[in-house]
Amino acid sequence: MNQQFKVVASGKYVPSDIVTNQDLEKIIDTSDEWIRTRTGIKERRKANEEVCSDLATFAAKDAIDRYQYDLNNIDIIIVATITGEQQTPSIANVVQGKLGITRPIMSFDINAACTGFVYALDIASSLLQTKRFKSALVIGSERLSSILDYTDRNTCILFGDGAGALIIEQDDQARPSYFLNGAKPDLTDVLTVRGTIAMDGKRVYQFAVDIVEKSIINVVEQAGLKLTDIDRILPHQANERIIQSVSKSLSLPMEKFAMNIENYGNTSAASIPILLAEYMADGHQNETILVVGFGGGFTFGAAIFYI
Ligand code: UT7
């Protein structure tokens, strides 16, 4: 079934506190040089007072204010996260409440780790396609600092806090969008959160390089397009070297990929919507974009849609 929607607003929120690589040098055995050359990260944000639902609500408000969107139109709220401040009420329920939406709309969370936003967008647009709903607010929000072990240099240098939001509306006139979401479960504890994040970085890296390349090729083929039809690829921001490797294997210049990892590190489910909000705020419109993510599970996903 075709998924036809238009993107009507996007927004982001990142906490104001910045943690630089030099700050991390003071608490663990690492160096700015190692972090920059191995990951591309220079700094990341760390929430102070804000919990996950605050980050999500501020990103949603940014989208609503920036595009002067009437929040009374919103019929569905989905939040992709692995760092909600509680299991229930869901973070999406809390966002609905904090936004002051009193109509009995559907709001719920999903967990697909760093691929969460791509999954959530697929779910939202599929629901819109039933025509029972007109408008969906899709958010990726993470307060990863609350699940980091600051004695583990393999993980604590990588992650940051933030949220991104997208509002989409069903539209029969819109060009069809394409999704390809999946999972390849690995039950050997390669990437887990049981209290804090633990990860075998090398194995995640190998999975990522392979699946990002395949996901791009497969979703482009499914859409009946060519790589040259895509204006920009917005990949999950986990490690700049992963994207450099994919850029090389697909013979695409690095300029084809939007990147902001140096400023925020890996914000898991928030990374793609933050990148997208910044991309749209830069004035990009009437473009065909491809988003691609991967993460714990393993999960992976890609989508082609129009902004
Ligand atoms: O969103 C999805 C979740 N995660 C990812 O996508 C992560 C994917 N993986 C990666 O990005 C990379 O594997 C890392 C950045 C995590 C690690 O980079 P690497 O090039 O794979 O390094 P490594 O784990 O092979 O470690 C190389 C060396 C080791 O030292 P020895 O054994 O060669 O002496 C590590 O102990 O670097 C050392 N090391 C560090 N040194 C300074 C590991 N972490 C650090 C650190 N600072 N923070």
Side-chain angles (χ1 to χ4, degrees), residues 28-31 34-35 38-39 114 153-154 157-159 191 199 201-202 204-205 208 236 238-239 241-242 266 294-296:
I28 42 160
D29 179 16
T30 191
S31 67
W34 192 96
I35 301 173
R38 297 286 181 130
T39 71
C114 301
R153 69 177 184 174
N154 292 303
I157 55 127
L158 294 172
F159 297 97
L191 173 51
M199 180 175 72
K202 270 232 160 351
V204 179
Y205 189 97
H236 170 47
N239 187 324
R241 284 192 297 131
I242 293 174
N266 179 346
F294 61 91

Side-chain angles (χ1 to χ4, degrees), residues 2-6 129 171-178 225 229 231 285-289 304-307:
N2 280 341
Q3 283 164 245
Q4 287 170 286
F5 65 83
K6 63 179 178 201
Q129 204 57 41
D171 181 0
D172 282 338
Q173 305 308 314
R175 281 184 282 174
S177 300
Y178 299 89
L225 298 174
D229 296 321
D231 291 302
Q285 54 184 1
N286 300 320
E287 289 190 15
T288 304
I289 62 159
I304 292 173
F305 55 95
Y306 306 89
I307 57 171

Side-chain angles (χ1 to χ4, degrees), residues 5 7 9-12 66-67 117 121 138 164-168 232-235 237 258-260 270-284 287 289-291 305-307:
F5 65 83
V7 172
S10 64
K12 69 155 202 219
R66 196 179 281 271
Y67 293 83
F117 181 78
L121 195 59
V138 186
L166 200 67
I167 302 175
I168 60 171
R232 201 66 61 104
I233 299 173
L234 283 73
Q237 305 287 294
M259 297 296 292
N260 64 5
S271 91
I272 291 173
I274 291 174
L275 191 60
L276 185 50
E278 293 189 340
Y279 191 69
M280 289 176 64
D282 280 348
H284 290 276
E287 289 190 15
I289 62 159
L290 189 158
V291 298
F305 55 95
Y306 306 89
I307 57 171

Side-chain angles (χ1 to χ4, degrees), residues 4-6 8 69 73 128 134-135 167-171:
Q4 287 170 286
F5 65 83
K6 63 179 178 201
V8 291
Y69 193 74
N73 292 335
L128 294 186
K134 174 76 184 153
S135 165
I167 302 175
I168 60 171
E169 287 183 354
Q170 204 282 327
D171 181 0

